[in-house]
Amino acid sequence: MSHLSQLRRRLTAGVTATGTLAVTLALLAGMPYVLWRATGLPWPEHVSSLSEFGQRLTQPVSDPLMTDLLAVVGWVCWAAFAGTVIREICWYTIHLPQLLRNRHAHDEHVAALSVKGSLAALCIGTLVIALISLWRPQTVSAQQPNSPVEARAHIAATAPLIPAPDQQPTTSAAAATASARATTAGLGPAGTGASGEADAVRYIEYTVMEGDTLWDIAHTHMGDALTWPRIYALNKDRIQGNGARLSDPDLITPGWRLTIPIAQRTTPPPPPAPVPEPAPPTPPAPPAETAPAHPTPHQRTGTGHHSDTDHTRAGTDRTEKSVIRTRDTEQGPAAIGLGEASLIGITAAAGLLAARRYWYWHQNRLRDPGEQERPALSPLVDKAAQAAHAATRPPRPQDPDALVTYRTPPQKPRNTETVTIGVRDDAEVPLNELAVPGGCTWAGPGSEGAARALLTGVLTAAERRRPGPARVTAVVPEDVAESLLPGLPAQFTALTQSADTLQAIRAAEQHLIAHARTQDEQDTAPAATGPATTNSTPEADPGTLLLIAAPDAAHTGQLQALAARSRPGTLIVLTLKTPLPGARLWHIADDGTTTHPQAHDQHPNPLRLFHLMPEAGRDITEVLLTAHGQRPRQRRLPTPRLHPTDERPDNPPAPTAETAPTRPYTAETSRPAQNNPVRVHVFGPITLYARDHLDPVGTNLRSEVHEFLALLAAHPTGLLASDIADKLHLDPGSDQNALKNLRRAVRRALRTATGITAPEFILLQGELHKLHPELVETDLADFSRNLKGAFSASGTQEPQNDALSAVSDALAHYRGPFAQGSDYLWADAIREHLATQATDAVLRLAHQAEHNDVSGEQDAVLTLLEHLGILHPDHERLAQHAIRLYQAAGRHDAARHTYTRLQRHLTDLGLTPEPATQALITPRTPSRQTR
């Protein structure tokens, strides 16, 4: 904070304190003085008893008596005010420590009082707050620990924004680097003053010690204890090492890491002279490593050897790091908590996001229209997929006119060839951390959960490369795999379960032979056929094999010989619980934190492995199996399904000739009649229409406003403000202002379009938000209402007589998937649910049409099938019914075209049509030719 800002703050606080004190003294001392000078004491003279006082009251009302009564009222009011002032002085005295920590306690206290009692609280509270603001240290320089040892124990990483005079760069390139650092922190040329000084913000990483409070930390490192809310605001969304967050400012746990902003005055260095750089005072680095003279903010410095694979991590194991952070460059978390005791990386979550699309597709393939809707996607998997979705979206550009502030998204996942095992320094650690000669052994209470998460990471990485082959595979003995991820088949994508440990060892040996053969081909191919043939060799690379086993006495020697050949990109040997001779021992705690008992150079920030509880592993396993059209072996068998051509016992009788003809479906290009002033279309692109307007309105609305309206349209009964903020991923500190801005934008646009100014288009009932049912209508509501009327309310799944007309009316609103073209994190489940409702309704009609020989009805159902087939070309059930109806009508070219379209879209997914679908096309052509 600059001296000018400090002086301005103190001047403002002094004026406020002086004014408040003057008003309070005027009310306490001035009022009785005015009453005494104007009316004297209200007690009447010459009254010596109560009887005389009663006689005076029975006398006729006179002007002196009225004056005395008014004086009594005035003295009583003053006495009440004085008593209230005394009460508030006591309250603020008792709650002074709370006011020092949180000034909002004053506002909350005043808001809880009545109007009568709030005047004294407002005066006393304003005076106290002003005095607190005046009470500040004379300097704002950070108070560092007294000794270097204490500083190293408390501060995990520091980074001076501008080099010290004895460490200034000596080249123009280094000067440009220093200038770029200053610009990153908001210290561009415009930020310097006349004296050449600028306000700089330096961020340090502080490790919480026993007995620390935010108040003490702010006082020690920021020079002002009252600035602790800045520390809380910077760290409240940060996932700590134990998986918790800073949700309560009064509760911090030793070992947590907090980001602390430090304001200081810095003077840009003059242009450096080209002189040789003096030798650094610190001990020199080993001769084998040459560190740059001026590392970038994200490079780490220091010495020390921490593992045998430092050459593959490119300096990630260092004891210190230089970090310059601003709010614009703040990175999100690299790990995602699932449930109470499970943690996975953002890279594994990206694999679950890839599997979710196949999960939805196979759900539609496995269910019949008459079957009850299958259980929804696991909440844990859906949470991970949404986090990966947020991480993979393009970054939002900086927009000063944005209506909302979003949460910081998670970090970007690693590439599709990478499997990660844990997180260190807020960054994912790849699998190659385990690729050390001699292998690794995981022991401790968290070893099983970490191994479960590791296998899950291998399987999810294979989903990201689908339909291509996996680059990282795993071989595990069947008994070990059953204890980690039960229910998986023996061969499932990237996982192979061997009958015993010996077979797993043989599989690893065959993998090494394949690697050696591939390497030999790569070495000999250029000499034999030229460099052009080397382009195809990487695809033949077997990739990395992970062997997980529990050593026994019979195979310890073979495992030890195999582990000696572990190296990155080829083979990784990991044993569980029982140490393998020569292997590096990892002790894993319940929360995944690792220690190396055999190592003498422990990393200050230990690696925390991802870990999964059995329940979370089961949820992920079921999603992966369903994404491949399979089910766990231990899953309860469903009830037998009837073939679409089979007769059902509760089928209604076929309509007779006297049945009223049904109206065939025709795709309507014009929008339906509008009853309310505003109509919101959420099927297809989100569009707004005003009554008596042919063209859409609100086309210039921001994307966040469209998302807000679509969310409310999908929940017609309303959503709480907290649910809206969670689904829109609003920043927790500004969600209320964001919702207010969204409501204001909707009100302004719709009032301009409709001319309605009195009511609100979005009803706000407490914290509940909903669209006004008398002002706003949606195509989603019409779609749901028509579908509900198409089938009986008794719960039967068979169509009624007027079902075709009702479904046709519903499909007239279904112009495309929900919020088509929008990349909303919350919309996937709603989109799939509505698509399932539309396809189920048409499939029921198609099933009925195949049993009824009514040409008009079959043509109308074919039109509906074609309409949905264009919107959902990969839906196999729709294609099957369309092919059968086309063939029944003699339109074999149309049937072939439907099959070709389905096959083309399934090929893009790496899938093939079912044998039953293929049989609809291939056998019929020769059978007709023979006739």
Side-chain angles (χ1 to χ4, degrees), residues 18 26 40 49 70 96 197 228 356 513 516 631 704 835 838 855 883 924:
T18 304
S49 64
L70 291 177
L96 183 60
E197 294 184 354
W228 67 264
R356 187 175 66 171
I513 294 174
R631 296 180 178 179
E704 53 262 33
S855 59
I883 291 173
R924 293 179 180 266

Side-chain angles (χ1 to χ4, degrees), residues 510-635:
Q510 292 296 324
H511 179 80
L512 290 176
I513 294 174
H515 252 288
R517 185 182 298 110
T518 302
Q519 185 64 36
D520 183 66
E521 292 176 356
Q522 292 177 356
D523 295 339
T524 58
T529 58
T533 58
T534 60
N535 295 333
S536 59
T537 54
E539 296 188 6
D541 188 1
T544 303
L545 178 66
L546 170 65
L547 171 62
I548 303 179
D552 53 15
H555 305 97
T556 299
Q558 293 173 293
L559 280 175
Q560 185 177 2
L562 197 63
R565 305 179 63 180
S566 295
R567 63 178 184 270
T570 303
L571 177 66
I572 296 174
V573 177
L574 174 65
T575 57
L576 301 179
K577 298 183 179 180
T578 303
L580 191 67
R584 185 173 185 180
L585 179 61
W586 295 37
H587 184 273
I588 306 173
D590 288 324
D591 63 348
T593 304
T594 61
T595 55
H596 305 290
Q598 301 172 349
H600 300 287
D601 47 357
Q602 296 289 341
H603 197 283
N605 299 319
L607 168 66
R608 186 186 183 193
L609 296 177
F610 302 131
H611 50 281
L612 285 177
M613 296 296 290
E615 295 78 10
R618 182 175 61 251
D619 289 350
I620 294 177
T621 299
E622 291 184 358
V623 170
L624 295 177
L625 286 171
T626 306
H628 289 266
Q630 303 181 32
R631 296 180 178 179
R633 294 195 302 266
Q634 297 178 354
R635 190 172 181 176

Side-chain angles (χ1 to χ4, degrees), residues 170-190:
T170 60
T171 63
S172 59
T177 303
S179 176
R181 294 181 187 178
T183 304
T184 304
L187 301 175

Side-chain angles (χ1 to χ4, degrees), residues 671 674-679 689-693 753-754 756:
R671 59 190 178 96
Q674 183 172 337
N675 300 321
N676 292 352
V678 178
R679 182 175 180 84
Y689 291 95
R691 190 164 50 194
D692 302 330
H693 287 68
T754 60
I756 299 176

Side-chain angles (χ1 to χ4, degrees), residues 804-928:
L804 182 57
S805 299
V807 173
S808 299
D809 293 337
L811 267 292
H813 303 289
Y814 193 81
R815 296 176 176 83
F818 177 82
Q820 187 176 12
S822 302
D823 194 22
Y824 302 150
L825 303 178
W826 52 269
D828 289 333
I830 296 177
R831 185 180 296 119
E832 292 295 334
H833 174 71
L834 295 174
T836 300
Q837 285 186 326
T839 54
D840 277 5
V842 175
L843 290 177
R844 295 170 194 171
L845 295 176
H847 175 73
Q848 184 185 33
E850 291 180 14
H851 291 78
N852 299 333
D853 191 12
V854 180
S855 59
E857 179 182 352
Q858 292 182 351
D859 293 341
V861 172
L862 273 174
T863 305
L864 296 176
L865 288 170
E866 187 64 25
H867 173 68
L868 289 182
I870 295 174
L871 299 178
H872 305 287
D874 56 354
H875 200 292
E876 193 163 5
R877 291 288 182 264
L878 291 174
Q880 288 178 352
H881 285 283
I883 291 173
R884 282 194 288 265
L885 289 177
Y886 276 134
Q887 290 177 344
R891 301 169 58 182
H892 299 286
D893 291 340
R896 171 65 65 177
H897 170 74
T898 302
Y899 177 81
T900 303
R901 180 179 61 192
L902 172 69
Q903 188 180 36
R904 181 174 64 254
H905 284 86
L906 292 186
T907 302
D908 295 339
L909 296 175
L911 304 170
T912 57
E914 284 184 339
T917 308
Q918 300 176 16
L920 294 175
I921 296 296
T922 52
R924 293 179 180 266
T925 303
S927 61
R928 289 185 177 271

Side-chain angles (χ1 to χ4, degrees), residues 50 126 151 364 428 448 476 593 615-616 653 664 675 750 831 891:
L50 291 177
T126 305
N364 293 329
E428 287 188 285
E448 184 172 334
V476 184
T593 304
E615 295 78 10
N675 300 321
L750 297 186
R831 185 180 296 119
R891 301 169 58 182

Side-chain angles (χ1 to χ4, degrees), residues 25-112:
L25 292 177
L27 292 175
L28 286 177
M31 182 184 293
Y33 177 77
V34 171
L35 290 174
W36 178 72
R37 295 292 298 176
T39 62
L41 294 176
W43 191 261
E45 298 179 358
H46 311 295
V47 176
S48 59
S49 64
L50 291 177
S51 60
E52 293 182 8
F53 180 72
Q55 291 176 3
R56 289 287 300 270
L57 292 178
T58 58
Q59 292 178 3
V61 179
S62 60
D63 292 341
L65 180 60
M66 288 298 301
T67 302
D68 290 341
L69 291 177
L70 291 177
V72 170
V73 173
W75 283 102
V76 170
C77 291
W78 174 84
F81 176 73
T84 307
V85 169
I86 296 174
R87 183 193 66 189
E88 293 302 324
I89 291 176
C90 296
W91 188 93
Y92 280 95
T93 303
I94 295 173
H95 294 81
L96 183 60
Q98 182 180 356
L99 290 169
L100 292 174
R101 295 193 303 268
N102 182 13
R103 301 182 189 179
H104 295 289
H106 161 68
D107 299 330
E108 297 172 356
H109 174 63
V110 174

